[in-house]
Amino acid sequence: MATDLAASPQSRSIAEEAMLYLTSHHPDRGEITADPYRFFDRLREHAPVYRTAQGPILVTSYDATQQLVKDRRWSREEMEGKEGITPTQQIFLESLAFRDPPDHTRLRAVVSRLFTPRAVEQNRQDISEIVQDLLDGLRDRAEFDFIQDFSYKVPLRLICRLVGVPPTMEDDFLAWGEALHGSLEPLTQPADVAARRESTAAECFAYFEELIKERRATPGGTDIISQLIQAGEEITDLEIIANCMLLHSAGFSTTKNLIANGMHLLLTHPEAYDDLRANPDVIPSAIEEMLRYEGPARNSLCRIAPEEMELDGVRINKGEHVYAILSAANRDPAVFEDPHRFDIRRGNSRHATFGGGIHMCLGASLARLEAQVAFAHLAAAPRLALNTDRVEWLGSFLTRGMAGLPVRWA
């Protein structure tokens, strides 16, 4: 490509910036990886519904995002009949995230029983024990990585408890979760990376397959797989595996990054950190602002037009792929006053982080609970301080997260 992409962001065209945004491994993508919000603002002002030269359509305004995620006519079965589908992606096709009604309706009715308010609330004590145990283990360490030593372990240990596997499986579950989430990235990955992910994901599939056999042999358990088995003919074994893999992938990555991104915001906004420590009752509002300002979900999963459609006045052709940039919608000045200001007392929880409509994130309430419990314990613990001048943000298309968060006890 003849265009000088090493030039400053201000000198690039919207088309050039969009190409960089879609190419997570591009060497000149640094500014957009570290701070994508300036690009989102320019793209929203240029065209809230923008057709890229690479094909995908990007949606950046809050109103258009809501239209897209709440309109059930849009399809999620974008990989059906597509060439080059990996074995892991083929499994994911059986999960509710990639099904349209009536299959989606059937599967969501079964899986949603695991996430009723009562079912979610029953996890509070377990989460509290996990968080406190992790913090106790860090008391004597002068410095540590907040992500590696804390934020990823909270959802990981909870998932292990919910599925009913021993703590000795944590390392395997971590590797599986990262591989599964990576396989959901819509962009082509290097061949060696893709091969490793497929191998790791195959281990996950085999493990869940064995767990189903064990649970069928000893019915009546309260773990996730036992509860899904009890649904009988409403869900097949392959669908149980696919949805367990989906819950593991989405639940682990989302909550890990929610807690880590939120802690980074508090460390870089000391007045907010002071407020939260002095007034723990503000934690629920703070969590909503963390989800809005630096939420773990960057883009929605793809919607595909089953026929010629219209979105915010723009014609979408049959078969075109559309992505809502959720983190752009969350900074839309038409909805959020002073959107680039982090305010834990904002009180406006209309953010788009968990999507909407029939595909709204099923685990949203559990992620919120994990974050609320984690920050309640963190507010009561000794103060943390950032132990680096600059964090490294990951180039993932779907999620917003850091490679690490070095901290120390202040």
Side-chain angles (χ1 to χ4, degrees):
M1 189 173 185
T3 307
D4 180 15
L5 290 177
S8 66
Q10 290 75 19
S11 65
R12 295 181 188 138
S13 69
I14 286 293
E16 291 165 348
E17 287 195 294
M19 187 279 286
L20 287 177
Y21 182 68
L22 290 169
T23 312
S24 60
H25 57 278
H26 199 288
D28 295 323
R29 192 180 188 265
E31 300 95 338
I32 287 179
T33 298
D35 180 14
Y37 301 103
R38 289 176 294 174
F39 162 61
F40 295 161
D41 285 348
R42 288 193 288 271
L43 184 56
R44 190 189 306 108
E45 292 172 5
H46 177 78
V49 179
Y50 179 75
R51 181 177 280 105
T52 66
Q54 292 71 29
I57 295 170
L58 302 177
V59 181
T60 48
S61 76
Y62 183 90
D63 286 346
T65 292
Q66 294 300 300
Q67 291 178 38
L68 178 67
V69 299
K70 291 183 177 180
D71 188 341
R72 64 173 57 215
R73 293 178 300 167
W74 293 92
S75 176
R76 279 290 300 117
E77 297 181 1
E78 78 271 15
M79 292 195 294
E80 286 287 5
K82 185 178 178 181
E83 295 183 1
I85 297 177
T86 68
T88 302
Q89 290 172 332
Q90 188 65 50
I91 296 170
F92 272 129
L93 285 178
E94 300 296 326
S95 71
L96 62 89
F98 294 94
R99 306 310 296 175
D100 293 336
D103 282 336
H104 174 272
T105 307
R106 170 179 57 83
L107 290 172
R108 190 174 181 98
V110 173
V111 179
S112 63
R113 299 169 194 168
L114 306 174
F115 295 98
T116 63
R118 180 182 178 185
V120 168
E121 182 59 30
Q122 288 176 343
N123 293 294
R124 182 179 294 274
Q125 184 59 38
D126 278 354
I127 298 169
S128 183
E129 290 175 1
I130 290 169
V131 169
Q132 191 58 56
D133 181 60
L134 290 171
L135 289 177
D136 287 344
L138 296 169
R139 297 289 190 193
D140 296 330
R141 294 178 57 178
E143 55 188 46
F144 56 93
D145 188 296
F146 186 83
I147 295 176
Q148 296 302 316
D149 296 316
F150 183 78
S151 74
Y152 97 74
K153 291 189 176 182
V154 174
L156 187 64
R157 290 191 178 180
L158 182 63
I159 287 171
C160 286
R161 291 193 185 189
L162 291 176
V163 176
V165 300
T168 53
M169 292 293 298
E170 280 186 12
D171 289 343
D172 298 283
F173 262 56
L174 171 62
W176 297 343
E178 291 178 340
L180 293 172
H181 202 77
S183 70
L184 292 176
E185 291 279 333
L187 307 177
T188 302
Q189 302 294 312
D192 59 331
V193 174
R196 286 197 302 272
R197 283 176 175 164
E198 281 302 306
S199 176
T200 305
E203 294 176 9
C204 182
F205 177 89
Y207 185 80
F208 278 122
E209 193 173 32
E210 283 303 311
L211 272 185
I212 289 179
K213 292 179 182 177
E214 291 177 13
R215 298 300 190 268
R216 286 197 180 281
T218 56
T222 59
D223 58 274
I224 285 177
I225 292 180
S226 294
Q227 291 182 66
L228 291 177
I229 288 174
Q230 291 167 21
E233 296 181 357
E234 296 177 73
I235 186 169
T236 67
D237 282 4
L238 181 57
E239 289 170 339
I240 292 176
I241 295 173
N243 283 288
C244 281
M245 291 171 70
L246 176 71
L247 292 172
H248 179 30
S249 166
F252 162 74
S253 178
T254 299
T255 307
K256 176 196 74 170
N257 289 330
L258 167 57
I259 297 173
N261 295 358
M263 192 68 240
H264 180 253
L265 286 170
L266 294 178
L267 293 171
T268 53
H269 296 78
E271 71 290 343
Y273 196 3
D274 290 339
D275 189 5
L276 184 137
R277 286 171 58 82
N279 304 285
D281 60 310
V282 81
I283 289 175
S285 172
I287 301 300
E288 297 308 310
E289 180 67 348
M290 294 169 184
L291 286 163
R292 182 198 73 85
Y293 190 87
E294 200 76 272
R298 175 173 285 168
N299 295 280
S300 69
L301 290 173
C302 179
R303 262 55 170 196
I304 196 166
E307 57 190 28
E308 185 175 296
M309 307 275 283
E310 184 175 294
L311 180 62
D312 203 32
V314 177
R315 187 181 71 180
I316 311 295
N317 299 316
K318 179 180 179 179
E320 285 195 291
H321 288 205
V322 185
Y323 291 93
I325 305 181
L326 303 174
S327 49
N330 287 339
R331 300 277 191 108
D332 189 338
V335 177
F336 302 98
E337 182 179 356
D338 197 4
H340 298 302
R341 177 172 58 89
F342 178 61
D343 180 5
I344 64 173
R345 293 180 177 272
R346 181 179 292 270
N348 185 343
S349 60
R350 296 171 59 197
H351 60 76
T353 301
F354 291 119
I358 63 173
H359 286 286
M360 184 172 181
C361 177
L362 259 179
S365 57
L366 183 58
R368 283 186 169 103
L369 179 62
E370 290 179 80
Q372 289 172 11
V373 172
F375 281 103
H377 282 264
L378 288 165
R383 191 184 185 92
L384 289 171
L386 198 58
N387 211 27
T388 181
D389 294 330
R390 185 177 182 179
V391 298
E392 178 188 351
W393 291 94
L394 300 173
S396 169
F397 182 80
L398 289 175
T399 59
R400 176 71 168 167
M402 296 167 286
L405 184 60
V407 298
R408 66 179 185 275
W409 296 113

